[in-house]
């Protein structure tokens, strides 16, 4: 196996179990490893540190897999890791829930691999050459464990470009999923379009938060901003919301939302979809002097990196200020950020800033996070990205 020696002092992060070694940390590469090849990593003093996948093209030159020298990652190792990740989700899957994330990359000690389950189908994202090289055994184990009818590659992501990989998508194993796969989450049914949908097809990271927000929507008027296929809308309707307005800029998302309303047997009379930019639409509502009892803001990632933080903070502030202005005293705002670069403390500051601008007094009622199928490794807090605040207007 090719061995790589790190510069003096660069072993520190590895010893703290951080799974990334940046290219600037490499002192010496003994051999010519191919991209995605397994390598062993040593300190400057030639002490074994870990095994990892090498990639010459990536800023993250080595993605670490295993710190125990006796556990060389082989076929059995890959199978075991996948078995553990899937077994850890056992409690989530039941008759009212057949969708969740089965593998969450570094957080499940499988850097570069994301697997989402949609009933009998799996949607897989392969983000690194290391995972690409081990695809056969990974797919085989996933199929054996889940009995999936089909495993679909949804790796058409910019993230792959960092590893010098092209986008790829299509069936990896078994049957092609139908255009709409029917799943159930929190007892609510959804059509998921794996091939055409955003991300891997659905945002299962909001499962618990959809339920939490629905605790407050019975008999209420609800505005679901950035609704996608209706996660918050449908849970609100299931809880007995009197009127729900969903806003999204994607026509396909709203079409799917309409289908999901029918699928659940909800009456269409109390739901309205608006195909528009949320920022524009909130201003229109303000002019019309519309008010809502509950507003949900679940925007896409505004801060793709730390350097974009200032700009993103202003965007989050403006968005939240606009929503706060449409809420009466006692109204609720469920507001989210899925930008890893914006941590909970920063998000609270942004909200405080928006509240001042909106001239509103705000209480934090609940603090919301990503669910248990998106765990956060203490040695890799980069895996924490979704945060939310349930706010009451005072
Ligand atoms: N709340 C959703 C997930 C939201 S994902 C759920 O529970 O499933 C973010 C959504 O925002 C996507 O559907 C995307 O189409 C939409 N979007 C992105 N920018 C937008 C904008 N400026 N105005 C309206 N919708 C937008």
């Amino acid at each position: 196996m090719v061995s790589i020696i790190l510069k003096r002092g660069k072993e520190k992060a590895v010893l703290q179990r951080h799974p990334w070694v940046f290219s600037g940390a490499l002192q010496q590469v003994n051999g010519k490893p191919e991209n995605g090849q397994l390598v062993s990593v040593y300190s400057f003093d030639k002490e074994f540190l870990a095994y990892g996948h090498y990639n010459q093209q990536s800023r993250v030159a080595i993605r670490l897999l295993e710190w125990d020298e006796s556990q060389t990652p082989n076929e059995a190792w890959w199978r075991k890791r996948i078995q553990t990740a899937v077994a850890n989700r056992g409690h989530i899957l039941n008759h009212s829930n057949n969708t969740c994330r089965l593998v969450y990359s570094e957080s499940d000690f499988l850097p570069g691999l994301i697997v989402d389950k949609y009933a009998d189908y799996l949607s897989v994202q392969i983000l690194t050459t290391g995972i690409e090289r081990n695809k056969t055994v990974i797919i085989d184990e996933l199929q054996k464990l889940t009995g999936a009818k089909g495993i679909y590659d949804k790796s058409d992501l910019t993230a792959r470009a960092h590893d010098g990989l092209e986008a790829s998508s299509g069936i990896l194993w078994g049957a092609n999923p139908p255009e709409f796969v029917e799943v159930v989450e929190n007892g609510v049914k959804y059509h998921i379009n794996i091939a055409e949908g955003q991300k891997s097809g659905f945002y299962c990271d909001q499962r618990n938060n959809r339920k939490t927000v629905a605790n407050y929507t019975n008999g209420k008027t609800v505005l679901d901003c950035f609704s996608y296929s209706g996660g918050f809308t449908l849970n609100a309707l299931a809880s007995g919301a009197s009127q729900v307005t969903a806003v999204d800029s994607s026509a396909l998302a709203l079409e799917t939302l309409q289908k999901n309303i029918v699928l659940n047997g909800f009456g269409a009379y109390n739901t309205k979809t608006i195909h528009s930019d949320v920022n524009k639409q909130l201003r229109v509502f303000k002019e019309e002097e519309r008010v809502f009892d509950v507003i949900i803001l679940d925007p896409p990632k505004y801060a793709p990196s730390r350097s974009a933080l200032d700009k993103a903070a202003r965007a989050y502030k403006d968005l939240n200020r606009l929503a706060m202005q449409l809420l009466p005293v006692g109204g609720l705002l469920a507001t989210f950020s899925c930008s890893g670069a914006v941590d909970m403390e920063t998000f609270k500051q942004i909200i405080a800033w928006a509240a001042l601008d909106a001239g509103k007094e705000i209480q934090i009622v609940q603090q919301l996070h990503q669910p248990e199928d998106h765990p956060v490794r203490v040695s890799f807090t980069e895996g924490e990205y979704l945060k939310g605040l349930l706010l009451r207007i005072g």
Side-chain angles (χ1 to χ4, degrees):
M1 194 185 305
V2 167
S3 62
I4 296 182
I5 297 166
L6 301 188
K7 288 183 182 157
R8 191 178 288 287
K10 294 295 181 188
E11 71 285 354
K12 210 169 147 200
V14 178
L15 291 170
Q16 287 169 352
R17 303 276 175 136
H18 195 282
W20 293 348
V21 178
F22 291 98
S23 51
L26 309 193
Q27 173 76 25
Q28 191 185 327
V29 178
N30 296 320
K32 283 206 172 76
E34 288 173 25
N35 284 343
Q37 197 174 313
L38 188 69
V39 296
S40 46
V41 183
Y42 291 83
S43 68
F44 189 79
D45 296 327
K46 314 276 181 335
E47 267 178 85
F48 175 85
L49 295 170
Y51 296 109
H53 282 149
Y54 177 76
N55 191 307
Q56 197 189 1
Q57 255 158 291
S58 175
R59 203 168 60 93
V60 182
I62 314 170
R63 288 175 196 270
L64 300 175
L65 300 163
E66 175 61 62
W67 281 256
D68 180 343
E69 192 171 9
S70 71
Q71 301 292 315
T72 318
N74 54 18
E75 189 178 321
W77 182 97
W78 283 97
R79 290 188 188 276
K80 182 86 190 11
R81 282 269 158 111
I82 292 167
Q83 286 160 12
T84 305
V86 172
N88 286 345
R89 274 72 175 180
H91 69 290
I92 300 173
L93 298 166
N94 55 47
H95 67 280
S96 59
N97 228 20
N98 63 10
T99 176
C100 76
R101 176 152 292 185
L102 293 178
V103 178
Y104 178 35
S105 205
E106 280 87 354
S107 297
D108 277 305
F109 311 99
L110 289 162
L113 178 67
I114 292 177
V115 183
D116 289 324
K117 174 179 162 70
Y118 297 122
D120 294 330
Y121 294 89
L122 303 183
S123 177
V124 173
Q125 296 174 42
I126 295 167
L127 307 177
T128 61
T129 39
I131 295 293
E132 195 64 55
R133 285 169 77 112
N134 291 279
K135 202 157 81 174
T136 312
V137 58
I138 291 170
I139 299 305
D140 183 64
E141 189 59 32
L142 282 169
Q143 202 285 323
K144 279 198 179 123
L145 284 174
T146 63
K149 285 185 189 158
I151 303 181
Y152 194 85
D153 183 2
K154 191 72 198 288
S155 304
D156 47 351
L157 295 173
T158 40
R160 271 169 73 95
H162 297 306
D163 247 40
L165 286 167
E166 311 222 314
S168 93
S169 73
I171 193 76
L172 287 170
W173 187 91
N176 237 319
E179 186 183 0
F180 290 105
V181 176
E182 191 182 314
V183 305
V184 59
E185 180 206 79
N186 301 338
V188 173
K189 293 178 201 156
Y190 296 83
H191 284 300
I192 312 281
N193 187 332
I194 296 179
E196 303 291 326
Q198 294 176 22
K199 228 169 141 189
S200 79
F202 186 56
Y203 294 89
C204 60
D205 54 2
Q206 288 286 27
R207 180 179 55 251
N208 295 351
N209 299 329
R210 290 172 182 139
K211 210 169 166 179
T212 300
V213 174
N215 288 334
Y216 298 85
T217 50
N218 182 16
K220 305 287 188 198
T221 56
V222 177
L223 174 61
D224 180 8
C225 298
F226 309 96
S227 64
Y228 191 52
S229 58
F232 287 97
T233 291
L234 297 163
N235 280 269
L237 288 170
S239 84
S242 63
Q243 173 76 45
V244 183
T245 307
V247 185
D248 202 284
S249 57
S250 154
L252 177 65
L254 293 176
E255 235 173 76
T256 312
L257 185 152
Q258 298 282 10
K259 277 198 174 71
N260 289 339
I261 288 179
V262 176
L263 182 66
N264 285 281
F266 299 139
Y269 65 94
N270 60 346
T271 314
K272 191 177 172 194
T273 56
I274 300 178
H275 182 203
S276 178
D277 176 276
V278 164
N279 286 275
K280 269 195 207 145
Q281 192 55 42
L282 292 176
R283 289 185 163 89
V284 171
F285 285 144
K286 175 90 172 55
E287 270 167 36
E288 293 173 353
E289 296 183 14
R290 286 281 299 273
V291 287
F292 298 88
D293 298 320
V294 181
I295 299 182
I296 295 122
L297 292 178
D298 186 19
K301 188 163 36 172
Y302 283 173
S305 65
R306 289 214 157 267
S307 58
L309 193 57
D310 280 356
K311 200 165 160 236
R314 279 195 296 277
Y316 282 120
K317 190 206 84 173
D318 286 343
L319 178 70
N320 280 277
R321 174 181 53 82
L322 289 167
M324 286 172 187
Q325 288 173 342
L326 307 178
L327 286 160
V329 170
L332 289 172
L333 175 61
T335 181
F336 297 92
S337 161
C338 60
S339 304
V342 177
D343 61 19
M344 185 57 112
E345 287 316 303
T346 310
F347 194 47
K348 284 182 192 166
Q349 278 169 18
I350 294 169
I351 293 303
W353 186 20
L356 269 183
D357 268 21
K360 303 270 182 178
E361 191 59 64
I362 302 275
Q363 277 177 328
I364 296 175
V365 181
Q366 282 193 47
Q367 302 192 28
L368 308 167
H369 303 276
Q370 63 208 57
E372 65 270 43
D373 49 341
H374 295 63
V376 181
R377 241 168 95 179
V378 290
S379 53
F380 184 69
T381 50
E382 290 89 336
E384 185 171 6
Y385 68 99
L386 180 63
K387 65 220 62 84
L389 293 169
L390 185 64
L391 307 167
R392 186 184 287 119
I393 309 289

